[in-house]
């Protein structure tokens, strides 16, 4: 079950912190995380720029909507489940990042080879 719950966590965390659809908001958060005078404000805005940090908060929301505990039937089970989901989600995001880098590399190589082909 935690492997399934980690999928939306990874998807949401990656989309908010990396994809172009949230670029303007992310740029604003980056600026605020550097230039705010208050420590807690800098840390609050930093959360929206780091997929690892943001995945903790997404996991909390996921566990509130789809409660799942691991090993223990009380609050300890929810804490174990939360950290396990965060870890698995970050493994998913790392694998996705490696896949994207490989695809981008292949695209660049294909464009270069296409450019080097003799013209008819």
């Amino acid at each position: 079950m935690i492997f399934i719950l980690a999928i939306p966590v990874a998807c949401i965390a990656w989309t908010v912190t990396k994809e172009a659809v949230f670029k303007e908001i992310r740029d604003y958060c980056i600026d605020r995380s550097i230039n705010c005078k208050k420590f807690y404000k800098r840390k609050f805005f930093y959360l929206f720029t780091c997929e690892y940090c943001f995945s903790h908060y997404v996991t909390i929301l996921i566990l509130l909507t789809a409660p799942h505990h691991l090993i223990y039937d009380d609050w300890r089970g929810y804490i174990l489940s939360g950290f396990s989901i965060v870890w698995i989600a970050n493994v998913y995001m790392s694998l996705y990042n490696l896949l994207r880098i490989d695809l981008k590399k292949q695209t660049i190589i294909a464009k270069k080879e296409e450019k080097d082909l003799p013209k008819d």
Side-chain angles (χ1 to χ4, degrees):
M1 180 69 147
I2 61 174
F3 292 98
I4 301 298
L5 291 175
I7 293 171
V9 170
C11 181
I12 294 166
W14 183 271
T15 302
V16 170
T17 61
K18 300 291 184 196
E19 295 300 331
V21 70
F22 289 104
K23 183 176 181 359
E24 292 81 11
I25 296 169
R26 189 171 47 256
D27 289 345
Y28 174 78
C29 290
I30 289 170
D31 177 63
R32 298 286 76 213
S33 72
I34 295 169
N35 296 318
C36 277
K37 295 188 188 305
K38 302 280 187 187
F39 174 78
Y40 66 90
K41 288 183 180 179
R42 287 193 312 269
K43 296 306 169 192
F44 172 77
F45 285 109
Y46 181 75
L47 294 176
F48 298 99
T49 65
C50 170
E51 71 271 7
Y52 176 74
C53 301
F54 193 65
S55 67
H56 284 82
Y57 293 95
V58 176
T59 298
I60 290 169
L61 290 175
I62 295 289
L63 284 175
L64 288 174
T65 59
H68 177 73
H69 50 82
L70 194 63
I71 300 174
Y72 303 107
D73 288 333
D74 56 5
W75 61 271
R76 298 174 298 172
Y78 288 108
I79 290 177
L80 287 174
S81 180
F83 283 114
S84 299
I85 291 169
V86 167
W87 189 83
I88 294 166
N90 279 279
V91 168
Y92 290 164
M93 287 186 282
S94 295
L95 292 172
Y96 180 68
N97 191 39
L98 289 172
L99 179 64
R100 282 181 57 149
I101 289 170
D102 190 50
L103 289 173
K104 192 173 206 173
K105 179 181 169 186
Q106 294 302 322
T107 303
I108 291 169
I109 291 170
K111 284 182 181 179
K112 183 180 181 302
E113 288 176 355
E114 186 178 286
K115 191 186 284 186
D116 292 343
L117 287 174
K119 294 184 179 178
D120 290 335

